[in-house]
Every structure is written in C-alpha cells, then in structure tokens.
Amino acid sequence: MSNEEFRAAMSRLAAGVVLVTAQEPPLDPGDPLAPGGEDVGMTATAFMSVSLDPPLALVSLREGSRMDDLLAEQPLWAVSVLSGSQRHIAGRFAMKGRISDRLLFEDIPYVRGKLSGAPLVGGALATLELRTEQRVAAGDHTLVIGRVLTAHVPSADGGPLTYFRGRYRLLG
C-alpha cells in the first residue's frame, strides 16, 4: 500500500476541526522584565476523547513540529472546537510556511485559559484546558494524551467545522 492510497482512504473519514494552543514559557522565568513566551496554535483533525474517568483526550501531532516540540516542554495546553463559521481560523493555522503565530492571533477574539494561559477562541463550540499525562511515539507522529482540567461550552450556536475529502465542510 502506498502513502497516497492510505491518505485517500483516510480522507473518507469525516473529522471535527480544533485549534490546539499553548503558550511558550518565558525565555528567562527568573527575570520579571524578560519578554513572555509567544502563543502558538495549530489546526488539528486528529483530536478525540479517550476516557471519562479520568477525563482524558488526545491529539496527534507531527513529530518534530513546533507544537510537538512545545508540548514536550510545556505540559499545559488548550483546545477550541471550531464552529462552521470559523473556517478562516482553521485555514490560517494550517498553513505551511506561515507567518509568526503572534500575527495569526492578532485579529482573532480569544480569552486566556485560567489554568493553561493558552488562547481559547471566542465563538468556539467548546473549549478545553489540558495537562499532558503521556506522550506516545506513533510512526511519524506523537500522540499527546492530556487530562482535561476545564471544559466549557460557551456557544450553542451553529454546527461544527468538519474536514472531509481534503476540504473543510459544514454539517447539514
């Protein structure tokens, strides 16, 4: 089986779209005048619940990606479940060779998670804050399993953003 055959088969599986976010630690935590860490975000479709007791979820990250490297050192992170009207956010954070994350967050409404400090996107269908419990190497990806610390459903409006056959789609 070729990579293309596998990719084509998996593209037939509809997936929800989330924005995974985390805040880089400050460069010099001992210096209160040192600049704070930058916010980092990444669009993901490989996100799922794992366990209800304890509440666990996982995200699959490309090994060596910026988010994979960050979550190897920063245990706190967040997820915003994107609505159908947030396709532009998903596309922005999925770009290859993109501009700095600071500019990507510039005009997106968000609040900071109280526990993670990570951006939680306004208008998302749900937001979660997590603490990494386990990292599992899986081929060319890392499965990051996190304990859900907070879960909120700030908006009941609209349907989810999904990804199917290589495109963002709406349900309905």
Side-chain angles (χ1 to χ4, degrees):
M1 177 193 63
S2 70
N3 288 351
E4 292 77 27
E5 290 169 321
F6 180 59
R7 185 176 290 123
M10 294 310 295
S11 76
R12 291 345 190 239
L13 177 64
V17 182
V18 302
L19 183 67
V20 180
T21 57
Q23 188 177 52
E24 285 182 324
L27 294 176
D28 185 358
D31 180 359
L33 300 177
E38 187 172 289
D39 293 324
V40 178
M42 181 199 93
T43 301
T45 56
F47 176 77
M48 62 181 279
S49 67
V50 174
S51 168
L52 188 58
D53 186 18
L56 301 173
L58 79 77
V59 66
S60 179
L61 305 174
R62 187 175 32 82
E63 182 182 22
S65 67
R66 184 167 185 205
M67 188 62 75
D68 182 37
D69 291 345
L70 176 55
L71 293 190
E73 67 177 78
Q74 165 60 283
L76 297 172
W77 46 289
V79 169
S80 297
V81 179
L82 299 180
S83 73
S85 65
Q86 294 176 315
R87 181 184 307 204
H88 65 289
I89 295 172
R92 178 184 295 190
F93 284 91
M95 289 187 302
K96 291 185 181 0
R98 62 191 194 195
I99 58 177
S100 84
D101 284 54
R102 183 180 320 109
L103 295 175
L104 294 177
F105 281 104
E106 199 167 77
D107 63 348
I108 294 174
Y110 67 86
V111 297
R112 293 211 173 271
K114 290 183 173 137
L115 300 177
S116 67
L120 301 169
V121 176
L125 296 178
T127 59
L128 302 100
E129 292 183 276
L130 304 97
R131 177 185 298 113
T132 300
E133 292 237 332
Q134 188 176 1
R135 293 173 53 85
V136 179
D140 60 1
H141 277 63
T142 303
L143 304 179
V144 180
I145 301 169
R147 180 179 293 257
V148 180
L149 305 173
T150 67
H152 297 285
V153 182
S155 171
D157 296 336
L161 181 61
T162 61
Y163 195 72
F164 180 71
R165 296 182 77 174
R167 293 183 44 211
Y168 295 116
R169 306 199 186 236
L170 306 177
L171 284 183

